[in-house]
């Protein structure tokens, strides 16, 4: 069961995950936003295109999202600069990363898991001090994904043309991420000694 305490974690995807990924990429709720019916991949295509070694040659890292020990979704991050094939040609900053993700089970959509997944991915990517900004590019009519990204701290910039068609360009800068994190930081006892009049916003046990 999904509760507000449910924790989504990420692990690196391995070759063993590829048959499962093939199944997921052929599910309607995923392929409708990942290239459409004609982009449904065969197992051979997934084994080739998503093999972690092949992805890393394109500066893409693939992850499996986990909840309570079960795989619940696919996520990937990439280095935007030098993506090739017409992607991100104006990018000059080597610190920009992009993300994409999908939940595997259509019955789990719209319950907050995607927001948890994106939070986990953003948190992990910003652990690398070289990362300056994270971007994403949902289709303009993928309102659920756009809302999920907004809840996870992304801000819409503009509509752009990509090799896959129009997209909403959304970003989260390191500065915005760190500001949001310090605003959410739990109240500390040392702060209390400096500001004795303030009530603690978190319960202590
Ligand atoms: C995109 C995806 C990862 C988001 O995960 P999720 O768990 O469904 O998203 P969340 O529940 O965390 O947030 C979705 C938000 O969109 C809202 N939403 C859902 N359908 C919506 C719609 N048609 N219009 C506007 N908002 C919508 C939900 O109400 C929720 O917002 P709220 O919490 O303010 O009410 C998931 O839906 C998914 O895998 N979709 C299929 C594949 C896909 O689109 N991948 C993304 C490609 S960019």
């Amino acid at each position: 069961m999904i509760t507000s305490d449910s924790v989504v974690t990420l692990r690196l995807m391995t070759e063993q995950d590829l048959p499962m990924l093939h199944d997921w990429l052929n599910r309607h709720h995923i392929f409708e936003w990942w290239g459409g019916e004609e982009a449904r991949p065969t197992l051979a295509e997934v084994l080739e295109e998503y093999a972690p070694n092949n992805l890393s040659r394109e500066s893409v890292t693939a992850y499996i999202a986990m909840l309570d020990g079960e795989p619940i979704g696919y996520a990937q991050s990439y280095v935007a600069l030098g993506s090739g094939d017409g992607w991100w040609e104006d990018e000059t900053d080597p610190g920009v990363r992009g993300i994409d993700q999908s939940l595997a089970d259509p019955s789990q959509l719209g319950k907050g898991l995607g927001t948890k997944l994106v939070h986990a991915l953003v948190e992990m990517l910003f652990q690398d001090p070289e990362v300056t900004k994270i971007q994403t590019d949902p289709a303009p009519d993928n309102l659920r994904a756009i809302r999920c990204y907004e809840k996870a701290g992304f801000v819409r910039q503009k509509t752009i043309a990509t090799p896959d068609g129009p997209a909403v360009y959304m970003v989260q800068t390191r500065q915005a991420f760190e500001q949001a994190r310090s605003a959410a930081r739990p109240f500390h006892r040392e702060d209390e000694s400096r500001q004795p009049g303030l009530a603690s916003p978190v319960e202590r046990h």
Side-chain angles (χ1 to χ4, degrees), residues 29-30 33-34 101-103 108-115 138 142-145 147-149 151:
H29 75 284
I30 295 186
W33 301 113
W34 284 66
Q101 70 291 309
S102 284
L103 295 175
Q108 287 188 329
L109 303 184
K111 297 181 177 173
L113 278 183
T115 303
N142 194 349
L143 301 180
R144 185 175 51 208
R147 176 75 190 124
C148 167
Y149 287 126
K151 289 196 297 172

Side-chain angles (χ1 to χ4, degrees), residues 21-43:
L21 181 63
H22 167 250
D23 171 22
W24 293 355
L25 293 176
N26 277 278
R27 295 183 180 182
H28 183 270
H29 75 284
I30 295 186
F31 69 68
E32 70 175 321
W33 301 113
W34 284 66
E37 176 87 41
E38 65 279 11
R40 291 176 62 173
T42 63
L43 178 58

